[in-house]
């Protein structure tokens, strides 16, 4: 008698656990479909923001050839014509803009590095030196490291572009 009672209790709790698990799964599934649709199985997180971190994103390499992600960002910025004043001495901008129109070229020229590549951080390190002091050589040696990302040309923020503000510099 006691054995039968125990087994019926076990069966009841097993059934309850099964129903509870199924209902929990259904709730989670509905929640995922209704509220998290944009983050499930898509790469929308990267659209218009920043590229996925690349191990070899050294400055010159990065500025030299725009990968798909950077191009996407440039294209979206051009479409939205959201190009404030900016960075006049970026040589490599020309490479991307060559296929576009003259106005696209101008917009690209006026974009800061942050707008082109989505990196809104201030630099962690600055190389300061007098003219002909060998600063370029220092930069080239440091940027060999895969974790270092640096601009391709000197931004001249403190001497020529200081009035443009930190938003431009980022
Ligand atoms: N290790 C070492 N030893 C001696 N000389 C060196 C060294 N590294 C760079 N250089 C020379 O430095 C000159 C470039 O300096 P910068 O990078 O500061 O150039 S710049 O002022 O920004 O244009 C440049 O000199 P010039 O060739 O006379 O222009 C480099 O040859």
């Amino acid at each position: 008698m006691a054995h039968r009672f125990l087994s019926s209790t076990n069966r009841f709790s097993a059934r309850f656990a099964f129903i509870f698990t199924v209902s929990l799964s259904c709730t989670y599934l509905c929640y995922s479909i209704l509220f998290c649709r944009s983050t499930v199985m898509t790469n929308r997180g990267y659209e218009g923001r920043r590229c996925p971190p690349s191990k070899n994103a050294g400055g010159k390499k990065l500025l030299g050839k725009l990968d798909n992600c950077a191009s996407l960002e440039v294209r979206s910025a051009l479409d939205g014509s959201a190009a404030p004043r900016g960075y006049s001495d970026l040589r490599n901008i020309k490479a991307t803009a060559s296929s576009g129109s003259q106005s696209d070229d101008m917009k690209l020229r006026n974009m800061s590095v942050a707008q082109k590549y989505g990196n809104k951080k201030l630099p962690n390190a600055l190389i300061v030196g007098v003219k002909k002091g060998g600063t370029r050589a220092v930069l080239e040696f440091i940027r060999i490291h895969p974790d270092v990302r640096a601009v391709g040309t000197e931004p001249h923020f403190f001497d020529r572009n200081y009035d443009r503000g930190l938003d431009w510099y980022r």
Side-chain angles (χ1 to χ4, degrees):
M1 185 69 179
H3 174 70
R4 194 177 288 175
F5 177 74
L6 273 177
S7 72
S8 78
T9 311
N10 274 352
R11 227 182 302 146
F12 176 75
S13 56
R15 199 173 290 170
F16 176 77
F18 175 73
I19 291 170
F20 181 73
T21 309
V22 168
S23 61
L24 204 65
S25 305
C26 287
T27 308
Y28 177 72
L29 196 67
C30 290
Y31 177 81
S32 301
I33 290 169
L34 289 175
F35 299 109
C36 307
R37 213 168 16 159
S38 60
T39 59
V40 175
M41 303 290 282
T42 65
N43 59 354
R44 283 180 71 178
Y46 287 122
E47 279 176 19
R49 287 184 197 171
R50 53 182 302 155
C51 298
S54 158
K55 235 346 194 182
N56 292 317
K60 203 167 193 175
K61 285 178 231 159
L62 187 70
L63 287 170
K65 50 177 180 184
L66 283 170
D67 58 8
N68 286 340
C69 181
S71 304
L72 179 77
E73 191 150 326
V74 170
R75 257 181 271 127
S76 68
L78 284 175
D79 291 344
S81 63
R85 60 217 182 120
Y87 209 163
S88 58
D89 56 354
L90 265 176
R91 285 185 225 133
N92 296 310
I93 296 172
K94 235 182 185 169
T96 8
S98 59
S99 58
S101 66
Q102 187 79 15
S103 72
D104 284 355
D105 187 37
M106 287 305 294
K107 283 177 185 174
L108 266 176
R109 278 172 174 278
N110 288 333
M111 274 184 205
S112 69
V113 173
Q115 288 163 323
K116 286 175 75 245
Y117 303 105
N119 186 357
K120 295 290 286 181
K121 284 180 187 168
L122 288 170
N124 295 113
L126 302 173
I127 299 173
V128 182
V130 294
K131 207 158 175 58
K132 295 291 171 193
T135 48
R136 168 60 63 178
V138 173
L139 173 64
E140 295 302 333
F141 281 120
I142 290 175
R143 74 160 24 131
I144 290 171
H145 195 283
D147 290 342
V148 172
R149 185 179 163 197
V151 290
T153 56
E154 295 165 15
H156 285 284
F157 175 66
F158 294 100
D159 52 355
R160 295 181 201 161
N161 296 306
Y162 193 75
D163 58 324
R164 293 175 190 257
L166 287 177
D167 272 348
W168 177 88
Y169 188 41
R170 277 193 186 104

